[in-house]
Structure formats: C-alpha cells, structure tokens
Amino acid sequence: MSIDTPSATVASADGTVIAYERRGSGPSVVLVGGAFMTRGDSAGLAALLAERFTVLTYDRRGRGDSGDSPVYDVRREVEDLDALIQGPAGGSAMVFGMSSGAVLALEATARGSAVSRLALYEPPFVTDDSRPPLPDDYVERLTELVAKEAYGDAVAHFMTAAVGLPEEVVAGMRQAPFWAGMEAVARTLPYDGRIMGDTMSGRPLPVGRWASVTVPVLVGSGDAGAPHMLTGARELAASAGNYTLRVFPGEEHAIAPEVLAPALADFFAESAASAPATGSATAGEGHTA
C-alpha cells in the first residue's frame, strides 16, 4: 500500500525539528539536497522513485519548515539524517545525495548512519586546475555576510566563488524571479561550505577520509557540465572497490529527474551480492542510453 505523508516532522538529537514528506511504498530511500535546495526541489525525482520505493524528502536544518540551532556543526546534519532513517524510514535506508548534499550523505555513511546503499550526483569537488579553488576565507566571508543579514551578497559570493560565475553574470541574476528564493535559504550557505571542507581546494581528495564507507556507492556525473565535476567524480569512484562511476551523456549539474531516476532505481534495486567488484573509473564507468 502506498503511504503519502504531505508534511510531517521528526526531532533530531539536539531537539531541532526536521520537516519531511514521505511517498510511495517499498524499501526506503532518503533524498539529501544540495545548496539552496528544500524538499520541494526534489519532488519530481521523488515522485518517479515512489513508483518502486518509499521516498523521503526533507528540509535540511535552517531551510523551509525545518528548525535550526544557534551553533552549526556538521554532526548535527548527520544526526538529522539519522533521525529520518531511524524514524519514518524504518531503521535503515538507501540514500541519494545531490551536490553538497552528496558529500553530507557520504560523511553520514562514513560516520555510521544506517545506510545500505549510497548514490551521489556531482559532489562539487575541485581537485584539478580546471577552475580556481575556493578562497581560504570562503566560509568566514559567508558567515560574516549572513550575520549581517546581507543574504543577497551571500548568494552572490557563493555564485562567484563556489560556482565560478563571472560577477557581471551574477549581478544580472539579482533581478531574476528565482533570486528571492535563494536569499530565503542563504543563511545555510556556510553550512554547505563547512560540509565541503577542503575538498574544493584544487588538491586531490583526502586519502582515507571515507574509508569506513563499505556499502555499494554509485557516483554519478554529467559529461556536459563543468569539467571539475567529472574529474572529482572519477577520483572519488576510483578510491575504493565498492564505488562505481556512472556518466550521463549530455547532462550538466542540473540533471533531469527523468534521466536520473531510472539509474537510481536500478542501483537501489540491486542486491548486495551484485555490488561491483571494482570502483576504478575505467572498470566501473557506465553510460545511460
């Protein structure tokens, strides 16, 4: 029987209320959004996956209908995900993370969250010289802007320093209808910066940082977007034998749900016995039709 929860809440370990929605039936899948994303941004993907799974989408702390705490720590966001897994997901879940949400999901799995299979799309690592690394004071600057409630300037700093857009392009974006929506969640941009840590420094990924992740991991990337995205995905996928790279031809960072959902559904439906034998970018790489 399909279970649809239009809006509900669960309490995280520190008492923060986390808002979520649940739809579909079958094994549980939790979707973790990236910067700016609220649960509504994952609705299209959730609807497609709900044909085969019980899918939970949620507002990360500080966004949408979720609460927040005065002092941020990445551990709190891991506990938020744990609260969803242990509560409405039924004690164990498969997890999909998008962009910086992919790194959060990876970090949670490494810290022992009850994740049975993990899928990631374009964790925004910068491990080569195809674009400038993040400034050393990136998170500090974002934090200062948010403290002054200069949310528009915080969004602009993210767009220029993290995304790499030219300042004149970002200046024009301020007049776009979607800008107000980004300002509404801009106070959480330092959170994503803290989650990313030094993985956008232009240096190789930290050796062994996620060595405790032993479940099957699917690392997805498009081949038509920023080159550093695919480079970072390849590097992560090559780090251990339980990782597999999946390249989506013609896709960029904003991948269409109709393209992504079938790949995720197939991966989540696989048995543990069919997990890939190697996570190298060559042996593990696949392509969508």
Side-chain angles (χ1 to χ4, degrees):
M1 180 178 66
S2 177
I3 300 174
D4 294 287
T5 305
S7 181
T9 61
V10 64
S12 191
D14 68 346
T16 299
V17 173
I18 303 300
Y20 72 92
E21 295 181 11
R22 180 174 57 188
R23 68 193 79 194
S25 61
S28 293
V29 174
V30 180
L31 307 185
V32 184
F36 297 115
M37 293 181 68
T38 62
R39 67 184 191 272
D41 294 306
S42 299
L45 178 61
L48 294 172
L49 291 175
E51 297 174 6
R52 300 173 64 180
F53 306 97
T54 298
V55 184
L56 282 79
T57 57
Y58 72 104
D59 292 333
R60 285 173 49 190
R61 63 172 52 214
R63 307 181 189 184
D65 295 322
S66 289
D68 204 354
S69 54
V71 179
Y72 179 78
D73 191 294
V74 175
R75 289 177 297 176
R76 300 289 84 81
E77 289 224 63
V78 171
E79 291 168 353
D80 298 345
L81 183 55
D82 285 340
L84 289 163
I85 292 173
Q86 297 303 323
S92 177
M94 297 173 286
V95 173
F96 167 70
M98 173 70 187
S99 193
S100 57
V103 184
L104 172 58
L106 186 61
E107 190 70 23
T109 307
R111 296 186 186 206
S113 297
V115 177
S116 58
R117 296 180 79 85
L118 178 63
L120 315 171
Y121 187 76
E122 293 205 341
F125 300 136
V126 179
T127 62
D128 60 18
D129 60 359
S130 65
R131 54 147 289 171
L134 283 189
D136 291 339
D137 65 346
Y138 171 73
V139 174
E140 179 182 357
R141 178 60 178 154
L142 277 180
T143 302
E144 291 173 352
L145 291 170
V146 167
K148 296 189 296 184
E149 298 186 359
Y151 298 129
D153 291 340
V155 174
H157 187 57
F158 172 87
M159 288 296 180
T160 54
V163 179
L165 294 178
E167 291 185 3
E168 60 271 20
V169 172
V170 175
M173 291 170 62
R174 283 180 178 263
Q175 311 307 316
F178 58 76
W179 189 267
M182 292 195 295
E183 285 194 15
V185 293
R187 64 185 303 272
T188 65
L189 287 174
Y191 301 176
D192 292 282
R194 294 275 297 277
I195 289 167
M196 295 306 300
D198 62 356
T199 61
M200 299 182 73
S201 65
R203 298 186 296 271
L205 294 176
V207 176
R209 174 171 172 177
W210 302 293
S212 59
V213 175
T214 58
V215 300
V217 181
L218 179 69
V219 185
S221 181
D223 65 1
H228 73 277
M229 293 286 190
L230 182 54
T231 298
R234 289 184 187 277
E235 187 171 327
L236 178 63
S239 64
N242 54 309
Y243 290 75
T244 299
L245 179 68
R246 175 94 182 235
V247 177
F248 294 84
E251 293 296 325
E252 301 182 7
H253 198 55
I255 187 172
E258 294 79 10
V259 175
L260 182 59
L264 293 181
D266 289 346
F267 173 69
F268 289 143
E270 292 176 4
S271 67
S274 65
T278 177
S280 69
T282 300
E285 183 168 333
H287 296 274
T288 55

